[in-house]
Amino acid sequence: MTPIDLTPLESCFLAAIEEDLGTGDVTSLAVVGGAAQAFAEYVAKESLRVCGLSVVEEVVRICDSDVEFQSVSNDGADVEKGTVLASLRGSARSILAAERTSLNFLQRLSGIATGTREYVSAIGGARAQILDTRKTVPGLRILDKYAVACGGGVNHRVGLFDAVLIKNNHLIFQSSVISAVQVAREWANSSMKIEVEVQNLGELQEAIEGVADMILLDNFTAEQTREAVEIVAGRIPLESSGGITLSNIRGFAEAGVDFISVGALTHSVVAADIHLRVKMG
């Protein structure tokens, strides 16, 4: 995977550590000697796709830059239960201080990557690509979308600033889908794509006439999606969205759309089962 720039998230990591640590880890201060050293390993307790090791390293560094971090696996790797992902060596108190925060990030991001892998596998052989959405944890969107990419998905727009996506709440301010697309086209720069959400075949036809760059089929059934694909006939990329699960996604992929966006990738994450095994060092 392409390394992620964690610089913009420095304040987020600090806040997460401070939230947990507060004025100090009173348990470790009480029962772990200040000079005690430890060796610890992050271990997968289930089969998963790894994501977030660089975040773990940064969280540990913030807690104590003298703790030695060693990555054993890599982001984007598929591992089996019992696999060691990374190790730590240094102050026992520092390792215990970083334990929960680092695991929270690693478990969430690996959970997103693993879940995305399942969706990608579910449509294996189809032309469609799996997209994420903006349904992410506030402040952690960069990480959530990085995890989707680690899982084999493709990132949709990052935010409201990098692409035009005209949805039903925008359309109420225009007389038609055609008008909305044309107004957006006049406003946007030439490099900015114009996507429009449609909720029926009538709006689909308007989006075609308005020459949108991409059309989002909102809550279409698989059969309606197949009909939309036939109408568009490859002229404009199509995205399916809404009500799509692992159990029905294959039908949408086989209908012939180019993209399928799944909010559940990031809004309904099942955290990966990973623990930190600490030993006296």
Side-chain angles (χ1 to χ4, degrees):
M1 290 297 303
T2 302
I4 182 173
D5 180 11
L6 299 178
T7 306
L9 294 166
E10 187 79 9
S11 61
C12 179
F13 296 148
L14 282 168
I17 292 167
E18 291 172 0
E19 174 185 63
D20 196 37
L21 193 58
T23 57
D25 176 3
V26 294
T27 307
S28 292
L29 290 172
V31 303
V32 179
Q37 297 290 296
F39 174 75
E41 294 177 321
Y42 293 89
V43 181
K45 297 180 70 176
E46 63 178 345
S47 172
L48 56 85
R49 178 159 290 187
V50 182
C51 183
L53 291 176
S54 59
V55 176
V56 170
E57 182 176 14
E58 183 63 13
V59 168
V60 172
R61 184 197 66 78
I62 293 172
C63 286
D64 186 346
S65 59
D66 289 330
V67 172
E68 178 186 345
F69 172 88
Q70 181 66 50
S71 182
V72 179
S73 186
N74 298 292
D75 282 357
D78 290 320
V79 302
E80 297 301 319
K81 178 180 179 180
T83 301
V84 175
L85 308 180
S87 66
L88 304 175
R89 187 181 297 277
S91 164
R93 285 182 176 178
S94 296
I95 289 173
L96 292 170
E99 177 183 9
R100 185 69 268 155
T101 301
S102 63
L103 275 172
N104 283 347
F105 280 116
L106 185 61
Q107 289 178 307
R108 175 178 175 82
L109 297 179
S110 294
I112 292 173
T114 302
T116 302
R117 179 188 64 180
E118 293 178 1
Y119 275 91
V120 172
S121 297
I123 64 168
R127 62 180 291 180
Q129 294 181 302
I130 302 298
L131 297 179
D132 54 24
T133 69
R134 289 164 45 239
K135 298 173 183 178
T136 55
V137 171
L140 296 182
R141 183 167 296 166
I142 294 174
L143 290 181
D144 281 4
K145 284 183 171 283
Y146 170 69
V148 168
C150 280
V154 176
N155 296 147
H156 209 313
R157 60 178 180 159
V158 175
L160 296 173
F161 57 88
D162 60 333
V164 174
L165 175 47
I166 304 167
K167 306 189 80 173
N168 60 340
N169 282 338
H170 302 106
L171 290 173
I172 63 173
F173 298 99
Q174 292 293 321
S175 59
S176 66
V177 171
I178 294 176
S179 172
V181 173
Q182 291 176 342
V183 168
R185 181 78 64 199
E186 292 172 2
W187 179 89
N189 61 56
S190 59
S191 65
M192 189 169 287
K193 300 294 184 182
I194 309 295
E195 182 175 8
V196 62
E197 174 186 275
V198 301
Q199 300 185 59
N200 53 60
L201 295 179
E203 290 184 347
L204 172 67
Q205 190 59 50
E206 287 191 56
I208 295 171
E209 293 175 17
V211 197
D213 294 310
M214 189 166 165
I215 300 173
L216 186 154
L217 307 175
D218 182 41
N219 284 297
F220 278 45
T221 65
E223 185 55 40
Q224 290 170 330
T225 300
R226 190 177 301 276
E227 187 175 353
V229 169
E230 292 175 357
I231 292 170
V232 172
R235 289 173 288 173
I236 300 172
L238 292 176
E239 172 189 347
S240 285
S241 182
I244 297 171
T245 65
L246 275 174
S247 63
N248 67 17
I249 193 170
R250 186 80 200 178
F252 290 91
E254 291 179 346
V257 292
D258 303 278
F259 303 99
I260 303 174
S261 55
V262 183
L265 297 180
T266 53
H267 74 55
S268 298
V269 183
V270 177
D273 195 359
I274 303 168
H275 73 153
L276 185 65
R277 188 168 55 200
V278 180
K279 303 175 183 178
M280 291 181 62

